[in-house]
């Protein structure tokens, strides 16, 4: 339920801590355990969730493209984010889903214009737009970052990356602290990942949007992420959904790291 574009730097998660480590609401470190995931998977293997489909889609997005290992496949990324958009819309994050859709539209417009051998590598797609000369050198910063054209695929990828950083952060908090409600997780993720990139007027708009999340309960949100109605969401469905949401997080983590690396190396800003 968040306004235009989204959120921040992967380095703002928890520095100098192992992957999938996070601060819980008590102020101590928590870690998502893959061993625990394996145990839960054995107990819930017959339960299919929408989160499992999301995890599979995002896993396809970080592959070998044009012989570059660990490259982000833009076509698979678009498909995965279309699924995420539908999920967020279903659970009530309508504004956030609309922002994802708007950024995907920018990416898709350029993607469909580029030859198939160039468009699926994120760095090559970004380089294609830079070669068109549609961006200009920034006059507001001493750092050599481009002033990115608003309607470009580059702008869409910049804000889509921030959006995924936000989702990553929020999902982490919901999984690591069973007492955290969506509003609390969203506010914390906003402070870390979105606020640093927004002007004061947009920060105020975001704060208004965030307040609408106060009525959303974690059970409703998790049931929606899993693809279940609340009436059919029991203990087994909850375990299966949380297990598969952990898979989504583990797929997002290396992809967001690579995303940030690409944008930094090309002087295009921080996701």
């Amino acid at each position: 339920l968040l306004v235009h574009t989204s959120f921040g730097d992967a380095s703002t998660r928890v520095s100098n801590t192992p992957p999938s480590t996070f601060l819980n609401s008590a102020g101590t470190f928590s870690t998502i355990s893959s061993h625990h995931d394996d145990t839960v998977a054995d107990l819930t293997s017959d339960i299919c969730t929408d989160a499992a489909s999301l995890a599979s889609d995002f896993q396809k997005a970080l592959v070998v493209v044009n012989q570059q290992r660990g490259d982000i496949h833009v076509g698979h990324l678009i498909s995965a984010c279309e699924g995420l958009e539908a999920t967020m819309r279903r659970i009530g994050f309508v504004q956030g889903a609309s922002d994802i859709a708007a950024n995907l539209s920018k990416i898709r417009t350029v993607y469909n214009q580029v030859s198939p051998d160039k468009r699926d590598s994120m760095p090559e797609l970004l380089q294609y737009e830079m070669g068109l000369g549609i961006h200009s050198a920034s006059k507001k910063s001493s750092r050599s970052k481009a002033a990115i054209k608003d309607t470009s695929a580059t702008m869409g990828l910049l804000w889509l990356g921030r959006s995924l950083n936000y989702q990553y952060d929020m999902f982490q908090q919901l999984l690591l602290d069973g007492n955290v409600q969506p509003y609390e997780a969203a506010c914390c993720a906003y402070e870390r990942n979105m606020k640093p990139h927004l002007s004061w007027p947009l920060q105020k708009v975001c704060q208004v949007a965030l307040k609408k999340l106060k009525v959303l309960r974690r059970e409703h949100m998790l049931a929606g992420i899993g693809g279940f109605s609340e009436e059919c969401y029991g203990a087994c469905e909850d375990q299966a959904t949380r297990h598969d949401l952990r898979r989504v997080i583990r797929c997002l983590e290396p992809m967001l790291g690579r995303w940030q690396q690409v944008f930094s190396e090309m002087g295009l800003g921080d996701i």
Side-chain angles (χ1 to χ4, degrees):
L1 208 63
L2 295 171
V3 298
H4 181 65
T5 61
S6 299
F7 327 95
D9 189 336
S11 65
T12 62
R13 294 180 200 138
V14 178
S15 61
N16 300 320
T17 57
S20 299
T21 300
F22 221 79
L23 281 172
N24 60 28
S25 62
T28 58
F29 287 118
S30 298
T31 303
I32 292 182
S33 168
S34 59
H35 173 71
H36 173 72
D37 273 5
D38 293 339
T39 302
V40 172
D42 293 339
L43 298 174
T44 61
S45 57
D46 294 333
I47 300 177
C48 297
T49 76
D50 286 358
S53 298
L54 275 179
S56 296
D57 288 343
F58 277 113
Q59 187 173 24
K60 294 174 185 176
L62 190 64
V63 294
V64 177
V65 183
N66 294 344
Q67 299 182 347
Q68 295 296 316
R69 292 188 177 277
D71 206 350
I72 296 174
H73 190 290
V74 179
H76 291 326
L77 177 66
I78 291 172
S79 297
C81 289
E82 286 172 344
L84 179 63
E85 177 210 339
T87 296
M88 300 312 291
R89 196 176 298 279
R90 183 171 63 241
I91 63 177
F93 284 66
V94 178
Q95 184 62 59
S98 296
D99 293 339
I100 291 174
N103 288 314
L104 285 175
S105 178
K106 294 177 182 180
I107 299 164
R108 197 183 292 108
T109 297
V110 177
Y111 179 85
N112 290 335
Q113 297 172 357
V114 181
S115 62
D117 63 326
K118 296 290 185 182
R119 67 187 186 185
D120 280 322
S121 165
M122 181 181 289
E124 292 186 13
L125 186 64
L126 294 170
Q127 190 62 53
Y128 167 81
E129 281 200 321
M130 292 182 75
L132 295 177
I134 62 174
H135 310 311
S136 60
S138 175
K139 298 179 181 179
K140 298 181 179 181
S141 173
S142 60
R143 300 177 65 185
S144 57
K145 290 183 179 179
I148 302 170
K149 186 177 180 179
D150 184 65
T151 58
S152 65
T154 303
M155 184 66 81
L157 285 165
L158 177 68
W159 284 103
L160 183 62
R162 291 170 177 172
S163 179
L164 291 181
N165 258 323
Y166 170 84
Q167 305 292 346
Y168 174 98
D169 194 329
M170 182 172 63
F171 291 157
Q172 280 270 33
Q173 293 176 69
L174 286 170
L175 290 174
L176 291 170
D177 190 336
N179 296 316
V180 167
Q181 294 296 332
Y183 171 71
E184 297 167 324
C187 285
C188 188
Y190 161 79
E191 289 290 330
R192 281 198 284 247
N193 302 297
M194 183 177 186
K195 187 176 179 179
H197 300 287
L198 296 176
S199 64
W200 175 249
L202 282 178
Q203 288 180 27
K204 301 303 290 183
V205 174
C206 272
Q207 289 166 10
V208 172
L210 283 167
K211 290 180 180 178
K212 297 179 181 179
L213 292 175
K214 287 184 176 181
V215 299
L216 184 61
R217 300 293 91 191
R218 63 179 286 119
E219 292 78 13
H220 169 80
M221 183 173 180
L222 289 171
I225 290 171
F228 304 102
S229 65
E230 284 193 78
E231 294 77 13
C232 299
Y233 194 67
C236 290
E237 289 77 16
D238 181 63
Q239 283 189 330
T241 297
R242 287 187 286 110
H243 167 263
D244 291 334
L245 190 54
R246 289 185 181 94
R247 289 181 54 209
V248 173
I249 289 171
R250 289 200 297 270
C251 292
L252 285 175
E253 186 163 18
M255 185 176 70
L256 289 169
R258 173 59 178 157
W259 205 319
Q260 176 61 62
Q261 179 186 20
V262 169
F263 267 75
S264 294
E265 289 176 350
M266 298 183 74
L268 295 171
D270 299 323
I271 67 165

